[in-house]
Amino acid sequence: MVTNRHPSCLTSRRRFILPVACAASATLLAACGAGTPTPGSTSAAPSAAGGEVDAKGCVTSYTEGKDYFPEKSTIEHAKNFTVSYHGNYQVLEVKQSYQEGPAEKYVLYRCGTPAPEATGELAGAQQIEIPVDSIFSGSTTHIPLLADLDRIDALTGVSSGAMVSNEDVRARLEDKKVVEYAPQQAIDTELVIGKKPDLLMTGGVDDPTYKVLRDSGVPVVANAEWLEATPLGRAEWIKYMAALTGDEAKAEKVFDQIETDYTKVVQAAKTSKPVSVLPGQMFEGTWNMPSGGSYVGALLKDANATYAWSGTTPTGSVPLKLEDVLTKARDADVWLMSAPVQTLGDIVKDDPRYAEFKAFKEGNVWSNNAKVNEAGGNDYWERGVTRPDLVLADLVTILHPDAVPGHELEFYRKVTK
């Protein structure tokens, strides 16, 4: 069960992820405003070829062999899912449903048209009528995808409401339009089955309860964007969500803006000298250092940052002892933490040896906890994973203050005395 903490930061076996921010910098006005839909607003019903659809987007006059997906997604960066189109249905495939998990296929057929025969390559695949308008979400990282598609109204269940930062979703929780189905980290199967959502979307981890739900008629689809090794690969999962909601054209527009703004910030960072950084901190006795081939490694490279382990090639992390980190990264200029610390004093309470880092001595320590609600829900874990353009803008602002003028940090905060 996944709440506000993304799968990649939960245990020492998963990856450390850097923070995100959204602000009205000159290079990001489109991404934070003009290029991004207003969360919670109403979107027009998805269209089908010929416009023969009702208000929901269901076909009213089916013609065999006709193409009912005039708007098609093209996947360029994401490696962990594919989508293909077949007249009145599409096949959505997740290559790893969770870390080292099996591939899963979903047959998404447009409402008002017949479901295809579950034979051949489609045998065993879940069949889901689309567009869906009732989603139970296993991770807060799904929320910005729905918000950017103007589909917040399709969210009817979250694992834990306390972890949610999005104000529209919190209002829907208050109004009982969204229910909690796993507030104690265990899925309430009776509640989910009773509510009959169109589907439950996982957070990219496995749970034995999922089979029970599927057997009871509730489709369970895997969202494993955290296994993508590149920032834009994770962001492109907005197209995965759009395949379910029928918003392919909207997703294409939103992602194109993210890609454009990300590229602009990369170019801006190149105008400055590289800065040495130290990412992460100890967790349960281990410092999981992001490898050079990981998502974090790619972000740091694009932010024109260097770190001692940038030359490592795996896509995961390198488990280290604190002594190992001190030996190779003692003199890093900036420390980028992902911890709920408030002061420099809090840091050395965990381990006095942290004070030996140059960045600590010079007060150049940053953490991603600028926006945390009373229950510990961090807005970074909601938007950061799906908006790499904003992650990068925040990092570049910290590392190269003059590169993105006007950008104000919203998710990062400097850790002071």
Side-chain angles (χ1 to χ4, degrees), residues 49 100 151 161 176 269 413:
E100 300 181 359
R151 291 289 174 174
K176 310 299 182 184
R413 59 178 289 272

Side-chain angles (χ1 to χ4, degrees), residues 373-395:
N373 66 26
E374 62 278 5
N378 191 335
D379 197 28
Y380 157 64
W381 299 115
E382 222 165 271
R383 301 199 73 205
V385 181
T386 59
R387 293 300 303 272
D389 53 329
L390 306 181
V391 175
L392 190 63
D394 231 28
L395 294 176

Side-chain angles (χ1 to χ4, degrees), residues 266-286:
V266 171
Q267 295 303 317
K270 289 181 178 179
T271 63
S272 303
K273 293 182 180 180
V275 175
S276 61
V277 302
L278 172 63
Q281 63 281 315
M282 296 288 289
F283 178 70
E284 295 183 350
T286 302

Side-chain angles (χ1 to χ4, degrees), residues 3-9 15-23 32 139-145 147-148 163 165-166 225-226 228 230-237 255 258 262 295-296 299 338 368-369 371 377-395 410-412:
T3 56
N4 187 244
R5 286 198 172 276
H6 196 258
S8 51
C9 69
R15 303 185 185 99
F16 164 78
I17 301 176
L18 289 170
V20 60
C22 178
C32 296
S139 172
T140 56
T141 59
H142 305 158
I143 293 174
L145 300 179
D148 285 351
M163 297 293 103
S165 295
N166 183 284
E225 38 70 21
W226 75 278
E228 298 286 348
T230 65
L232 290 175
R234 294 188 181 190
E236 201 163 25
W237 278 69
F255 179 77
I258 291 172
Y262 188 93
Y295 166 81
V296 174
L299 274 173
S338 177
N368 67 340
N369 61 347
K371 288 186 176 180
N378 191 335
D379 197 28
Y380 157 64
W381 299 115
E382 222 165 271
R383 301 199 73 205
V385 181
T386 59
R387 293 300 303 272
D389 53 329
L390 306 181
V391 175
L392 190 63
D394 231 28
L395 294 176
E410 292 191 7
F411 293 81
Y412 250 140

Side-chain angles (χ1 to χ4, degrees), residues 35-261:
T36 302
T38 302
S41 61
T42 303
S43 179
S47 62
E52 300 170 353
V53 297
D54 60 18
K56 182 182 175 181
C58 296
V59 174
T60 57
S61 179
Y62 172 66
T63 301
E64 186 175 358
K66 188 174 183 178
D67 183 2
Y68 285 97
F69 294 93
E71 302 289 350
K72 296 178 174 63
S73 292
T74 301
I75 312 303
E76 299 178 359
H77 299 275
K79 304 300 181 185
N80 198 31
F81 84 93
T82 62
V83 59
S84 59
Y85 298 87
H86 309 271
N88 71 309
Y89 70 92
Q90 54 186 312
V91 177
L92 195 60
E93 181 175 7
V94 178
K95 296 180 181 179
Q96 279 192 82
S97 51
Y98 51 90
Q99 193 169 38
E100 300 181 359
E104 291 186 4
K105 286 184 179 180
Y106 314 108
V107 176
L108 313 180
Y109 64 98
R110 187 175 289 280
C111 55
T113 73
E117 291 186 19
T119 59
E121 293 184 354
L122 303 185
Q126 292 184 85
Q127 297 206 2
I128 302 171
E129 186 179 77
I130 59 169
V132 299
D133 56 17
S134 175
I135 297 174
F136 273 33
S137 166
S139 172
T140 56
T141 59
H142 305 158
I143 293 174
L145 300 179
L146 289 167
D148 285 351
L149 292 174
D150 291 342
R151 291 289 174 174
I152 284 294
D153 60 337
L155 183 68
T156 55
V158 294
S159 56
S160 173
M163 297 293 103
V164 173
S165 295
N166 183 284
E167 291 298 328
D168 292 304
V169 177
R170 294 185 71 84
R172 289 175 61 81
L173 281 160
E174 286 286 329
D175 294 338
K176 310 299 182 184
K177 294 179 180 178
V178 174
V179 301
E180 293 181 286
Y181 66 86
Q184 304 302 320
Q185 300 191 359
I187 294 176
D188 185 337
T189 54
E190 290 186 6
L191 183 149
V192 177
I193 294 169
K195 291 294 184 180
K196 298 180 180 178
D198 291 337
L199 62 87
L200 184 147
M201 182 173 287
T202 79
V205 295
D206 194 22
D207 191 305
T209 305
Y210 295 152
K211 183 179 186 304
V212 176
L213 295 177
R214 289 189 180 104
D215 291 345
S216 299
V218 177
V220 178
V221 302
N223 185 321
E225 38 70 21
W226 75 278
L227 293 175
E228 298 286 348
T230 65
L232 290 175
R234 294 188 181 190
E236 201 163 25
W237 278 69
I238 192 171
K239 298 177 183 179
Y240 180 89
M241 184 70 78
L244 297 162
T245 63
D247 296 293
E248 285 87 351
K250 186 80 167 184
E252 201 75 25
K253 181 179 179 181
V254 171
F255 179 77
D256 285 351
Q257 189 66 62
I258 291 172
E259 184 180 35
T260 296
D261 288 333

